[in-house]
Amino acid sequence: MKTVIRKLIEQHGRLPVAMSTLADGQDLYAAGLTSFAAVQLMLGLEEAFDVEFPERMLNRKSFSSIDAIAACIAEIAPQKAVA
Amino acid sequence: MTRNSNLLDRAADAAAVAAKYCDEVDAQSRFPTEAMQALKDARLMGIMIPRDLGGEAASLRDIAEVCALLGQNCASTAMVYAMHQIKVSSVVSHGADHPWHRAFMACIASQQLLLGSSTTEGGGIGGDLGNSICAIERDGDEFTLRKDASVISYATQCDAILVTARRAPDAPGSDQVMATLLKSQYTLEKTAEWDTLGMRGTCSEGFIFEGRAPAEQIMPQPFAEIAARSMLAHAHLLWGALWYGIAANAVSRAQSYVRAEARKKPGQNPVGALRVAEAASMLQLMRSSLNAGLERFEKAQLANDDLNSMSFAIDMCNLKIGSSRLLNDIVQQAMMVCGINGYKNGTPYSLGRHMRDAMSAPLMINNDRIFGNTSNMLLVHRLDQRLAS
């Protein structure tokens, strides 16, 4: 799953740094993720994992790192988390 | 309630001073020195600060009421006071566990300091406060900062300025921090005048800001957190409150005008009476949405994650857009009622200043920029369809 997440961040995150330099727990906002790009990333994740993020996950914290995103997806779509 | 009325009594004196000088402040485009001094004399600068640090722990609702009162009398004074309180809210919300900012809060309360803000930047950044070009440069235990600040309101009048900048020279534009610099720690070189249609007393001139201070004066949280958790709500609710004050005063002038007309010609409704009724209904909309916004904020404060949520951000943004639009519609309506007596300066029904001040509302953080943000959020956020929430 994290490989897919990484690919989506690369596509939508508009980060000024290479994805390969980012650890799973690293703060994506500190790496340059803007709130605009975060929404684009959410849309990409919803499409790729065929999920809809519930209201309570639509905050800064849920998308603050690769680990945090993976935890959100694991929670709303446990069957996809193993992929 | 008793605390609230006590604050309002104290604010009433300052509001009277503001009313006395408002035309002069407007005509000369000068800082409302007398009214701001009156606010300090009434010890109203540090009321948001916790009691153990010398403040009164006033709620946002209380402060909004003070802003509304000031807005009825002098919009520039109200805006300076609101901007100050927005800055105080960041220190109160994010500085509680931070030794330097705790001590600073005590100073704000005891010395009635006036805080300013530098978020706007030249070089294409403009009002996009989530981005910076300038960066904090660490130098041992200190840091230096040079910012092409295209707007800093009342910069030469304030005692400290809270400045946004990139965390470090190699940080991306959106990775920002906020630092507090005291007057003795920075220099200002003026680059732009403030000669505007309205809000002429805020003296929002442009400067090159250059400062040096101990690193402990940088707030530990990312600025994005500060913006989302304290600035967004405080700015939109306090601006909304003072805009409500402008609108309420415009409607009151229109109503007085119509009442005087009605007395002159008993038995027939004056032409403008219908428009006063319409303006009153718009004013009620504005008031209701602001009260709902304050309630929404009070609820969000209790639930930690809510302040960070998209639904809260969208609510606050919509409140700003709605109240700034209503304000302009209301003042326009009042002008139609008062006719030439509203159009002329120096009559009891003059509305030129109200109109010019009101025109700043949709522009300060341009409503179109806000719509840009909310339209992005609405791609994933689903609106609450219930009537009561």
Side-chain angles (χ1 to χ4, degrees):
Chain A
M1 175 171 60
K2 284 185 183 167
T3 325
V4 181
I5 296 175
R6 280 182 172 272
K7 218 180 87 198
L8 290 167
I9 297 175
E10 201 144 41
Q11 246 174 306
H12 303 287
R14 301 182 186 188
L15 299 187
V17 293
M19 270 315 287
S20 54
T21 63
L22 285 182
D24 287 352
Q26 214 163 321
D27 188 336
L28 293 174
Y29 295 105
L33 184 68
T34 64
S35 45
F36 179 83
V39 167
Q40 300 304 314
L41 172 61
M42 282 178 209
L43 289 168
L45 289 161
E46 288 191 336
E47 180 72 16
F49 290 98
D50 191 25
V51 292
E52 241 183 42
F53 291 109
E55 201 47 52
R56 65 188 159 80
M57 286 185 182
L58 298 183
N59 58 44
R60 209 176 142 75
K61 213 168 59 189
S62 303
F63 297 85
S64 60
S65 67
I66 293 167
D67 282 339
I69 296 171
C72 285
I73 291 172
E75 190 188 328
I76 52 175
Q79 71 286 1
K80 281 165 188 138
V82 285
Chain B
M1 277 322 281
T2 50
R3 193 182 70 220
N4 187 315
S5 48
N6 165 26
L7 284 181
L8 269 186
D9 286 345
R10 283 151 60 193
D13 296 336
V17 177
K20 186 173 165 195
Y21 291 97
C22 67
D23 284 329
E24 192 182 311
V25 163
D26 179 54
Q28 297 175 9
S29 194
R30 70 160 175 86
F31 185 72
T33 315
E34 300 83 358
M36 290 312 297
Q37 187 57 49
L39 285 162
K40 289 181 177 189
D41 292 344
R43 311 289 299 169
L44 287 165
M45 305 305 283
I47 50 176
M48 199 192 293
I49 288 166
R51 289 177 190 284
D52 62 334
L53 295 171
E56 299 179 47
S59 67
L60 182 56
R61 192 176 281 276
D62 289 344
I63 291 161
E65 197 71 76
V66 173
C67 288
L69 177 64
L70 293 173
Q72 290 169 49
N73 294 282
C74 171
S76 289
T77 302
M79 186 51 84
V80 172
Y81 185 71
M83 289 194 278
H84 161 77
Q85 291 297 353
I86 294 160
K87 292 297 109 184
V88 176
S89 81
S90 292
V91 181
V92 171
S93 309
H94 310 285
D97 304 322
H98 192 238
W100 190 87
H101 280 96
R102 276 188 78 79
F104 181 55
M105 276 190 263
C107 288
I108 298 172
S110 67
Q111 298 168 38
Q112 295 292 296
L113 301 182
L114 174 64
L115 310 194
S117 169
S118 170
T119 52
T120 310
E121 189 172 1
I125 293 282
D128 178 11
L129 62 93
N131 265 298
S132 289
I133 295 172
C134 68
I136 297 277
E137 296 203 34
R138 297 295 282 258
D139 179 10
D141 292 340
E142 298 195 325
F143 70 93
T144 59
L145 176 60
R146 183 181 194 277
K147 182 167 186 169
D148 174 9
S150 43
V151 176
I152 307 180
S153 293
Y154 54 91
T156 58
Q157 303 290 332
C158 53
D159 302 297
I161 299 181
L162 278 70
V163 198
T164 52
R166 285 184 297 133
R167 182 183 302 281
D170 58 351
S174 60
D175 183 18
Q176 299 162 287
V177 290
M178 184 179 244
T180 306
L181 284 95
L182 306 173
K183 202 181 183 78
S184 58
Q185 295 171 326
Y186 57 77
T187 58
L188 296 166
E189 182 199 323
K190 186 146 89 167
T191 54
E193 298 290 335
W194 182 250
D195 180 8
T196 51
L197 261 182
M199 289 292 176
R200 292 171 57 81
T202 61
C203 304
S204 308
E205 297 159 335
F207 298 92
I208 298 291
F209 174 100
E210 265 185 288
R212 181 181 193 95
E216 60 182 350
Q217 290 176 224
I218 303 169
M219 289 208 181
Q221 300 86 348
F223 172 67
E225 279 278 311
I226 299 172
R229 296 182 64 87
S230 64
M231 270 181 67
L232 174 82
H234 284 83
H236 293 344
L237 286 164
L238 293 183
W239 291 350
L242 79 93
W243 294 338
Y244 170 77
I246 301 173
N249 189 258
V251 173
S252 150
R253 288 185 182 207
Q255 205 181 3
S256 307
Y257 180 78
V258 162
R259 202 178 294 143
E261 289 285 290
R263 283 202 200 106
K264 272 185 250 166
K265 296 173 196 157
Q268 48 180 315
N269 252 7
V271 186
L274 215 68
R275 283 196 183 272
V276 169
E278 199 181 351
S281 92
M282 289 194 282
L283 190 66
Q284 183 181 321
L285 260 183
M286 197 176 177
R287 189 181 190 210
S288 311
S289 68
L290 282 161
N291 275 303
L294 286 165
E295 215 169 281
R296 178 79 177 84
F297 173 75
E298 284 155 5
K299 233 189 242 176
Q301 259 187 325
L302 301 174
N304 207 22
D305 277 347
D306 198 15
L307 281 177
N308 264 337
S309 72
M310 260 189 199
S311 80
F312 181 71
I314 290 173
D315 279 2
M316 290 301 124
C317 288
N318 283 340
L319 179 86
K320 189 272 174 181
I321 289 166
S323 50
S324 62
R325 286 178 158 186
L326 275 169
L327 165 63
N328 279 276
D329 290 349
I330 291 168
V331 176
Q332 177 79 48
Q333 197 80 332
M335 183 72 93
M336 286 300 286
V337 174
C338 298
I340 190 158
N341 290 288
Y343 194 69
K344 274 169 74 169
N345 293 323
T347 84
Y349 311 109
S350 296
L351 288 164
R353 180 170 45 80
H354 297 66
M355 187 165 269
R356 289 182 290 102
D357 289 338
M359 287 177 83
S360 70
L363 309 179
M364 56 184 298
I365 307 194
N366 196 304
N367 280 358
D368 284 351
R369 184 192 297 280
I370 299 181
F371 271 136
N373 289 339
T374 53
S375 63
N376 185 46
M377 288 191 272
L378 284 166
L379 293 175
V380 288
H381 168 79
R382 283 163 296 279
L383 292 168
D384 188 348
Q385 312 241 344
R386 292 171 300 174
L387 175 61
S389 49

